[in-house]
Amino acid sequence: MDLTFDSICTFPLASDLFTLALHTSSPVVALGLASGHVQLQRLPSLPSSPSLKAKAKAPSTNGRGTIETVWRTRRHRGSCRSLVFSADGDYLFTAGTDGILKVASTDTGEVTAKIAVPSDPSGAPDSPTLLHTLSPQTLLLATDSSALHLFDLRSDSSFTNPRPQQTHHPHYDFVSSLAPLAPSDTSTSGYCRQWLSTGGSTIAITDIRKGVVYESDDFEEELLSSAILGGAESGKIIAGGEKGFLRMWDGSIKGVMHGEEKRLYVRKGECLDVVCPVPQEVVEDDMVAVGLGDGTVSFARTGKRRGVISHVRHHELEGVSALGFDPDGRLITGGGNTVKVWEKNTESSDGEASLIDDDQEESDEIKDEDGLVSQANGHEASESSDEEKPKRKKRKRNKAKGRNNNNHILAFNGLD
């Protein structure tokens, strides 16, 4: 079965995109920019969308209307390196190169809490690399120094303590990706307690109670992305790197520790910057979407007849820095100063295919909202204009060219 997507909307950004996060129950996407701005976009809902039922105030449409900017603000002095929604979606965590971790209301964008990112062992500022909500009570924060901090959260997603409850160093280099392992069948909470991470040229597994429980050997290539398909015992672990192929292990944790590694070439010599599972609602096969450094997104089947079956082009010059699927099954891709929305093509298509059998060998804007809140708390607002080029795998600190665009409501292509 081929899987193809059609681009239904392209909207430009005022600065290069560093990261994006998708709401779990509403067609909402949060964008973190190299300029330090954070903005929340709402997509039109489909008539039968579960997100429409979850948010009664969302307008009922046929899924083809306008993309609304709910709010936009200069959230950080430097780049917004990472952002993630809380487990219930009511709050948005953001972390920037200004060394501040902030919590804001998803609906209004107003900051409700903020703490400093812990310094590195020498006492110098330590920029964040990624955020992940492990459960309603736990937030993970990774930094440039290879630290992985665990913060305890209250019911309103504020911090119980400004200092992390735990800190681990699962890799010698910064954590480039993180994927939670599914909870075991005996779990009473229903939330995961272990996660897989990539950093430098290694893979690690960390337990919320035991700490780092596994560190792999050196894979002799920089690992950039990871994903997990399936359950705790029978799942598949996938990692992508700078050489252009996916590494895969069956059997979840036991597989990556003791199992046989399988490989799937996506594009030889091209960086696989992001890997995301394709939801079962979109396609029944075990598949992943892979964002490449050359600006394409490849769709790969990971089962017995594994292989790349199709591609789409996000950008001609910029790599894909982030991607994901919204609750309605639409693909969202980001890279450079562009975000695109894609819809599954339900018509039959020949597409591109390169399948491999297992027995074959592979060769409304908030004006400086933080300034207003900071004044109330005795802090200064930011006026810095420096931007960091969002090229995480090499950690380049180039300044991005400024781009001005004030559009806040954007229509899908070819639609009224």
Side-chain angles (χ1 to χ4, degrees):
M1 176 183 178
D2 290 340
L3 178 66
T4 59
F5 284 83
D6 296 325
S7 176
I8 57 175
C9 179
T10 300
F11 59 95
L13 303 171
S15 178
D16 282 341
L17 179 78
F18 224 109
T19 181
L20 65 78
L22 290 158
H23 200 281
T24 56
S25 60
S26 297
V28 169
V29 57
L31 308 175
L33 307 185
S35 62
H37 286 85
V38 174
Q39 60 192 67
L40 198 77
Q41 311 290 150
R42 183 181 296 279
L43 281 63
S45 297
L46 298 174
S48 59
S49 168
S51 62
L52 201 59
K53 300 175 183 177
K55 292 283 186 180
K57 64 182 179 180
S60 177
T61 73
N62 62 356
R64 291 175 176 267
T66 59
I67 296 180
E68 173 193 1
T69 299
V70 181
W71 51 263
R72 183 176 187 273
T73 182
R74 178 73 178 277
R75 182 52 35 93
H76 294 282
R77 296 181 181 180
S79 302
C80 176
R81 280 278 195 91
S82 185
L83 46 74
V84 67
F85 286 101
S86 61
D88 58 11
D90 291 342
Y91 297 92
L92 181 69
F93 299 94
T94 66
T97 53
D98 56 0
I100 303 296
L101 172 58
K102 298 184 179 182
V103 190
S105 166
T106 299
D107 290 336
T108 66
E110 293 184 3
V111 172
T112 59
K114 62 175 74 174
I115 61 172
V117 174
S119 302
D120 69 13
S122 69
D126 198 8
S127 294
T129 58
L130 62 81
L131 290 166
H132 183 82
T133 307
L134 193 65
S135 72
Q137 294 80 35
T138 306
L139 177 73
L140 304 181
L141 166 67
T143 65
D144 271 345
S145 71
S146 81
L148 181 59
H149 304 291
L150 281 71
F151 289 92
D152 283 349
L153 303 175
R154 296 190 178 96
S155 58
D156 62 354
S157 292
S158 62
F159 302 97
T160 61
N161 191 316
R163 295 186 178 183
Q165 299 303 306
Q166 302 177 40
T167 296
H168 304 290
H169 290 268
H171 307 279
Y172 63 86
D173 204 348
F174 67 92
V175 177
S176 56
S177 73
L178 189 149
L181 294 162
S184 66
D185 296 335
T186 59
S187 172
T188 57
S189 67
Y191 294 104
C192 64
R193 48 180 284 186
Q194 296 180 322
W195 59 91
L196 175 141
S197 60
T198 60
S201 55
T202 62
I203 287 175
I205 295 174
T206 307
D207 187 284
I208 195 171
R209 296 175 183 171
K210 302 176 182 178
V212 179
V213 297
Y214 171 75
E215 297 177 66
S216 74
D217 294 331
D218 194 319
F219 286 104
E220 298 183 349
E221 73 158 327
E222 188 175 3
L223 299 179
L224 307 169
S225 54
S226 61
I228 297 177
L229 301 178
E233 301 298 328
S234 59
K236 186 188 298 290
I237 288 178
I238 300 173
E242 62 181 346
K243 294 184 179 179
F245 62 84
L246 294 174
R247 300 174 185 267
M248 300 183 294
W249 296 267
D250 293 322
S252 195
I253 297 178
K254 293 180 180 178
V256 74
M257 288 182 175
H258 312 294
E260 178 186 358
E261 175 190 311
K262 299 174 183 177
R263 295 186 179 184
L264 192 164
Y265 271 96
V266 179
R267 185 159 301 173
K268 193 171 184 179
E270 194 61 56
C271 292
L272 309 185
D273 290 329
V274 56
V275 178
C276 177
V278 179
Q280 293 288 312
E281 294 79 8
V282 176
V283 62
E284 293 183 357
D285 292 343
D286 287 340
M287 297 184 65
V288 292
V290 186
L292 282 71
D294 66 356
T296 61
V297 177
S298 296
F299 302 95
R301 185 178 291 129
T302 63
K304 182 175 177 56
R305 284 182 56 78
R306 64 187 183 275
V308 176
I309 63 172
S310 61
H311 312 273
V312 296
R313 169 71 67 176
H314 169 79
H315 202 284
E316 293 295 332
L317 300 176
E318 301 286 350
V320 179
S321 58
L323 62 82
F325 292 84
D326 78 350
D328 295 327
R330 291 171 293 204
L331 172 67
I332 315 296
T333 62
N337 66 334
T338 302
V339 171
K340 287 188 176 183
V341 182
W342 307 77
E343 195 173 63
K344 181 183 177 182
N345 185 346
T346 56
E347 298 179 359
S348 60
S349 174
D350 292 336
E352 294 186 48
S354 176
L355 301 180
I356 304 170
D357 286 323
D358 279 346
D359 55 0
Q360 288 181 312
E361 292 185 1
E362 297 126 291
S363 71
D364 311 298
E365 180 172 324
I366 303 174
K367 294 183 179 179
D368 200 7
E369 176 269 334
D370 270 347
L372 297 177
V373 173
S374 295
Q375 289 173 9
N377 288 284
H379 298 288
E380 294 181 355
S382 164
E383 295 295 337
S384 172
S385 61
D386 287 346
E387 294 185 11
E388 178 185 13
K389 188 71 174 178
K391 199 176 182 74
R392 294 180 296 171
K393 56 181 177 292
K394 299 300 181 184
R395 277 285 177 267
K396 291 183 178 178
R397 299 297 203 277
N398 298 331
K399 292 183 181 180
K401 295 181 180 179
R403 298 177 178 87
N404 295 322
N405 188 297
N406 297 318
N407 294 339
H408 297 296
I409 297 182
L410 297 155
F412 286 89
N413 287 340
L415 302 170
D416 294 334

